[in-house]
Amino acid sequence: MRGMHSFGGRVGRGLAVAGVVALLVTACEDGEQEPSGAASSAPSVEEGPWSTGTTSSDGRGSRAGVLEKVTVEEGDGYDRVVLEFRRGVPAYIAHPMDPLSHGGLGTEIEMPGNQHLKLVLVTVTDESSFPVAEGTAAVPEVRDLGLFEGELGVGVGVANPADEPLSYRITVGEKQLLVDIAHTGH
């Protein structure tokens, strides 16, 4: 009987430890397949769901958000609009809109691009206006559409063939709202 239980003793523990070490080595080797160097804030196109309709989020800010900066970055397969906030990211609603219109007034807005994405940032302060952000060939402009009852409209102009739907993805960080606009064919 003792021989049967010895497998569960020192030998069994040794095999268990060896198994755990093998699993850890395998996990580390899998992790090393990532490119070395600085980590990019840009997830690859395949990492998240893309949308052609309306999306929304509750946000991460505990108080009224303050939009501090808007930039546009050119990427591989998509371009990224980066909205940076003080006090966290507010709730938002995003939807393709043509023609693009001001939320409170309902007036049509003329801006570059043959397709447009409208973001409505909910519970932001009066400090949240921003100058027109010059963009890229795929995202020629991002514009402040005005503040109305605590909601800031943000227009994103997109140069995309009219027969292809505007495809976008939004990632919410602690103090950033990242809007990826897919290039044609992705």
Side-chain angles (χ1 to χ4, degrees), residues 8-68:
R10 282 187 228 167
V11 174
R13 281 191 295 268
L15 288 173
V17 169
V20 169
V21 169
L23 287 172
L24 288 173
V25 168
T26 302
C28 289
E29 287 173 354
D30 289 344
E32 288 176 15
Q33 293 175 357
E34 294 295 320
S36 60
S40 171
S41 66
S44 69
V45 173
E46 296 80 27
E47 285 184 349
W50 291 89
S51 178
T52 56
T54 300
T55 62
S56 63
S57 168
D58 293 336
R60 293 191 177 193
S62 58
R63 296 173 268 167
V66 178
L67 180 60
E68 293 191 309

Side-chain angles (χ1 to χ4, degrees), residues 128-146:
S128 294
S129 66
F130 64 95
V132 170
E134 296 299 320
T136 62
V139 180
E141 187 176 283
V142 179
R143 181 181 296 176
D144 180 337
L145 300 180

